[in-house]
């Protein structure tokens, strides 16, 4: 099947699976997922599955990207922080829905591959940096929204601290391998409300940096 046909089928599958947010669906439509996927898996770019990228990491399943993006309740003026740039695909989707996207990756080779892609696709509102996502991005905080795309052992308090205290939302998979749940954390003042949304399987968030 040709690429546009594959993409249309994926969008229909997402809708059928309960993704109804039309802004999220059109952001997914605009991002060429094949650009973020290794040559060996090009023909599977629009399958609704996670796929391997470099450094033993994965590009998330489109359904999970769509679900977590919808859960962020993004608005066009918002500043968003992503932890775990990976291929850059999730950041690209966010870039169509928010004013500015900050993304942190702890593996230099992945960051080095993602940055020129953002440039090539003219996603000029993405700032990417190498670092440990457990520390967040204090110089750019507070963020209206934060999304973590690796599994944390618990909701990271530092990220809650870097969230806007006027209804800031953090979406983060929490748990150990095989038993993770996407959590939605909403901050109002110092009050924090937590809700569990979806069972998932993500690679674990690792402490520190390495290249
Ligand atoms: N959002 C990515 C999927 C990322 S997979 C995409 O759309 O392709 C998870 C990523 O989180 C991996 O690239 C991994 O290296 C990164 N990661 C793990 N622990 C991290 C940490 N402490 N800080 C920043 N990135 C981290």
């Amino acid at each position: 099947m040709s690429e546009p046909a594959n993409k249309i089928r994926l969008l229909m599958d997402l809708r059928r699976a309960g993704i109804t947010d039309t802004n999220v669906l059109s952001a997914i439509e605009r991002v060429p997922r094949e650009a973020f996927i290794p040559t060996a898996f090009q023909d599977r770019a629009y399958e609704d599955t996670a796929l391997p990228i470099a450094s033993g990491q994965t590009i998330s399943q489109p359904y999970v990207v769509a679900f977590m993006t919808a859960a962020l309740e993004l608005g066009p003026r918002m500043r968003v922080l992503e932890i775990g740039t990976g291929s850059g695909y999730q950041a690209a989707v966010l870039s169509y829905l928010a004013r500015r996207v900050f993304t942190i990756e702890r593996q230099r080779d992945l960051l080095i591959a993602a940055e020129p892609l953002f440039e090539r696709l003219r996603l000029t509102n993405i700032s990417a940096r190498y670092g440990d996502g457990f520390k967040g991005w204090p110089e750019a905080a507070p963020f209206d929204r934060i999304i973590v795309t690796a599994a944390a052992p618990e909701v990271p308090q530092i990220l809650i601290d870097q969230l806007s205290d006027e209804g800031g939302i953090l979406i983060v998979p929490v748990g150990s391998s095989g038993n993770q749940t996407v959590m939605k954390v909403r901050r109002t003042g110092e009050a924090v409300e937590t809700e569990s949304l979806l069972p998932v399987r993500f690679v674990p968030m690792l402490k520190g940096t390495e290249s």
Side-chain angles (χ1 to χ4, degrees):
M1 215 188 279
S2 69
E3 221 144 66
N6 274 337
K7 192 184 248 188
I8 289 162
R9 193 182 53 186
L10 172 64
L11 287 160
M12 278 167 43
D13 287 348
L14 294 178
R15 220 177 298 236
R16 234 194 319 271
I19 307 297
T20 54
D21 186 322
T22 50
N23 292 328
V24 171
L25 290 168
S26 60
I28 291 198
E29 188 170 6
R30 290 171 80 175
V31 178
R33 192 167 184 256
E34 68 276 13
F36 297 88
I37 284 176
T39 322
F41 298 102
Q42 283 301 307
D43 55 330
R44 303 182 61 189
Y46 291 101
E47 281 181 22
D48 191 15
T49 51
L51 291 168
I53 54 173
S55 309
Q57 302 301 319
T58 54
I59 177 170
S60 310
Q61 180 190 352
Y63 173 74
V64 174
V65 172
F67 182 92
M68 290 173 69
T69 305
L72 280 173
E73 302 177 29
L74 287 163
R77 301 183 58 83
M78 291 182 178
R79 301 165 79 252
V80 187
L81 172 67
E82 177 196 27
I83 310 298
T85 314
S87 69
Y89 178 72
Q90 171 77 71
V93 171
L94 295 172
S95 78
Y96 286 112
L97 297 164
R99 181 159 58 88
R100 209 155 157 210
V101 179
F102 298 83
T103 182
I104 306 177
E105 173 55 56
R106 72 183 284 282
Q107 290 194 195
R108 216 182 277 278
D109 55 341
L110 291 175
L111 188 70
I112 285 169
E115 279 185 313
L117 271 176
F118 298 147
E119 213 162 297
R120 178 154 76 75
L121 298 171
R122 299 197 207 299
L123 306 175
T124 53
N125 62 340
I126 301 177
S127 308
R129 102 167 186 195
Y130 172 69
D132 178 6
F134 275 110
K135 300 190 172 122
W137 193 322
E139 304 88 339
F143 301 96
D144 301 297
R145 302 290 186 255
I146 301 178
I147 179 171
V148 183
T149 64
E154 59 205 346
V155 177
Q157 181 60 44
I158 291 180
L159 299 184
I160 296 178
D161 295 342
Q162 292 184 18
L163 207 51
S164 156
D165 61 6
E166 294 167 19
I169 295 175
L170 162 65
I171 299 293
V172 52
V174 173
S176 51
S177 66
N179 183 25
Q180 305 164 357
T181 308
V182 172
M183 307 292 285
K184 180 169 187 169
V185 179
R186 201 185 291 263
R187 177 175 170 190
T188 312
E190 290 314 304
V192 169
E193 223 179 282
T194 304
E195 192 185 341
S196 47
L197 300 183
L198 182 76
V200 279
R201 279 175 68 181
F202 271 89
V203 295
M205 204 174 160
L206 302 170
K207 276 201 198 298
T209 51
E210 64 180 25
S211 0

